[in-house]
Amino acid sequence: MAVQEARQGTEAPRGAGAHDGGCTCGDCPHGARAGHRRAEAEFLLQRDGFAAGHGLPAAVAHSVSASRQWVSEELTQSAELVAERGRAEGEAWLTRLWLRTAVTVWAAVVALLLVQALTAVGAGWSDARTAGLLAALVVAGALTTASWFHRARGGALAPVIGEDNRLSTSRAVAAAWVLLVAYAVLVLVGRLAAASGHAERDALLSGLDLSRGAGVVTVLAVVCGIAVLVRRVVGVRVLAQRLQKVRAARPRAADLLTDDAGRGTFADIQYVVIGAVALVFAAVRLARRPDQLPDLPWGLAVVVLVSAATYLAGKYAEGGRPVILSVVRAREAGDLDAPIRTGDDIEIRGAGFVPPGAQTADRLSRMVVRIGPVHVHVPLVPVTGGFSNPTDAVLTVPVPADVEPGRVDVQVVTAAGAETNRYAIDVTD
């Protein structure tokens, strides 16, 4: 009751402004990005104010549990607004991305033309340079068309954006090799179309022999297989609750080198670095020998295969199911030792309560603890710069009065929907 009265007392000022809630008139920030930044700044100010003990209504200030509940619900509402503005910004960013990808593709074509023009000084223009430029135009046109059809999903980057709205490392590496091989084949097609003699055409056709490009074909097959297999592995592990996934606001370039929490991972970094080095080598070989597929040496091809195997092993090893290790009665300084009773706070200790990428307040507020048949939402307890509850290893929740005395099971449901093991506790009168 105290929390409801306090909220009624604070609702009037919140609704007094005519421009609250995402309005885009002259008094409000223009654009989804500005709206998101404004909402985030207001949330941080509110969180730090509550952490310092400011802004509590008198109706709940006398009760620790009531004030904690009121603060948690106020922060939850503000966090939902921030998340809504963040999703709007992400959608707007993806919509604009297709044009940026198209500009980047054509800028690469212009760069190729400049390089060919500079290297042609003295040596003269050749059929290979014409075939390379025409192949680049075909690839750029195809990517631009695909970008337009997928303009709401990031343009040319749409195939490498995963279901969690992050850039997929395995898909990005595979897409890079596919584009290189497709470009190499188009160069040979252009040269074959311009060839006038039988001997020249036969030489170009022999450039497609497997003996010439066995290394690059093997690498292409492996990286494409890794991209498909990783998607299957992640999907199966998520359904089996052995891996927790939360959706990102928008894809970022750093996703290629980091995990869902934004931390750099060895498996991803080495896969991207070694793949990029091998791609550069193959591109140079194609420039030097445009009459055949890039002859990737077997030594370098094996290095790429070892890197791919390491990446796949890392995907199998990452993650894990959240687990409860113990549940104890939360005790403040001066309290007497006692059994768990209704109304008491319990401290749940374990691991994996906060999935990677779920450190934002809107995700933390979605955590639920089942105590017997009762679902208890984990309260947000703010501190300067973050939250002291919940954390990845410790949760503190009250035992509601609806819980019947006796032995009951405690189970945590994370923001990703994964469930922990059941842990039995005794609740006394």
Side-chain angles (χ1 to χ4, degrees):
M1 293 296 295
V3 174
Q4 294 177 359
E5 292 175 1
R7 180 170 293 109
Q8 291 173 1
T10 57
E11 278 179 354
R14 180 177 296 178
H19 308 294
D20 291 337
C23 177
T24 56
C25 63
D27 296 336
C28 296
H30 296 281
R33 184 178 183 182
H36 181 218
R37 288 185 173 183
R38 177 189 178 190
E40 190 172 28
E42 292 175 351
F43 170 79
L44 295 177
L45 183 63
Q46 183 185 39
R47 183 200 64 191
D48 292 343
F50 285 149
H54 304 308
L56 286 177
V60 298
H62 66 281
S63 173
V64 176
S65 60
S67 60
R68 183 177 60 185
Q69 180 184 352
W70 186 86
V71 167
S72 178
E73 294 188 7
E74 288 295 307
L75 289 176
T76 297
Q77 292 181 5
S78 298
E80 289 175 354
L81 177 61
V82 174
E84 180 182 350
R85 298 290 178 84
R87 288 190 292 269
E89 180 190 2
E91 292 174 359
W93 184 84
L94 279 178
T95 303
R96 297 191 303 268
L97 184 60
W98 83 270
L99 184 59
R100 297 177 183 177
T101 56
V103 171
T104 302
V105 167
W106 287 104
V109 174
V110 173
L112 176 64
L113 175 61
L114 293 176
V115 171
Q116 288 187 340
L118 291 175
T119 55
V121 176
W125 194 266
S126 63
D127 292 340
R129 289 186 170 87
T130 302
L133 184 59
L134 291 177
L137 292 174
V138 172
V139 173
L143 290 177
T144 303
T145 303
S147 297
W148 189 86
F149 281 108
H150 296 87
R151 57 189 179 277
R153 284 288 302 157
L157 294 181
V160 299
I161 297 177
E163 288 74 13
D164 58 352
N165 208 30
R166 295 180 177 86
L167 287 180
S168 170
T169 303
S170 59
R171 298 184 193 181
V173 172
W177 281 101
V178 168
L179 287 177
L180 176 66
V181 173
Y183 175 76
V185 173
L186 287 175
V187 170
L188 290 175
V189 169
R191 295 205 61 191
L192 186 62
S196 56
H198 291 287
E200 185 178 1
R201 287 196 292 268
D202 292 340
L204 291 172
L205 289 175
S206 64
L208 291 172
D209 290 343
L210 187 60
S211 58
R212 301 286 183 89
V216 71
V217 171
T218 302
V219 169
L220 176 65
V222 170
V223 296
C224 289
I226 290 290
V228 176
L229 184 58
V230 164
R231 181 180 181 182
R232 175 64 178 172
V233 168
V234 171
V236 170
R237 288 174 60 83
V238 169
L239 292 178
Q241 298 191 16
R242 294 195 299 270
L243 179 66
Q244 301 188 71
K245 279 281 187 180
V246 295
R247 185 176 176 83
R250 67 177 179 88
R252 304 176 186 272
D255 295 338
L256 299 177
L257 305 175
T258 62
D259 59 9
D260 293 353
R263 299 183 297 262
T265 57
F266 170 76
D268 293 59
I269 293 174
Q270 61 86 28
Y271 191 42
V272 171
V273 170
I274 292 179
V277 171
L279 271 171
V280 171
F281 183 90
V284 172
R285 292 296 296 171
L286 177 63
R288 301 294 295 176
R289 297 291 302 272
D291 56 345
Q292 65 180 42
L293 288 176
D295 52 341
L296 198 66
W298 275 111
L300 184 56
V302 171
V303 170
V304 176
L305 299 185
V306 171
S307 174
T310 303
Y311 174 77
L312 182 61
K315 285 300 178 181
Y316 270 104
E318 72 176 357
R321 186 168 184 172
V323 59
I324 296 177
L325 300 178
S326 61
V327 178
V328 299
R329 176 178 177 269
R331 177 182 176 274
E332 297 182 359
D335 283 353
L336 298 177
D337 295 330
I340 298 175
R341 296 185 175 92
T342 56
D344 290 342
D345 289 342
I346 58 174
E347 186 178 280
I348 305 172
R349 302 170 183 175
F353 296 148
V354 180
Q359 291 81 10
T360 56
D362 63 300
R363 299 289 187 181
L364 295 177
S365 64
R366 297 179 61 186
M367 298 180 63
V368 176
V369 176
R370 282 201 290 258
I371 306 177
V374 183
H375 292 70
V376 183
H377 285 270
V378 180
L380 299 176
V381 180
V383 294
T384 302
F387 297 93
S388 62
N389 186 65
T391 63
D392 188 64
V394 178
L395 307 177
T396 301
V397 294
V399 179
D402 295 331
V403 176
E404 296 292 337
R407 179 165 284 264
V408 295
D409 289 333
V410 177
Q411 191 175 29
V412 177
V413 182
T414 70
E419 299 179 344
T420 65
N421 56 305
R422 297 179 183 269
Y423 194 95
I425 63 172
D426 293 317
V427 180
T428 61
D429 293 330

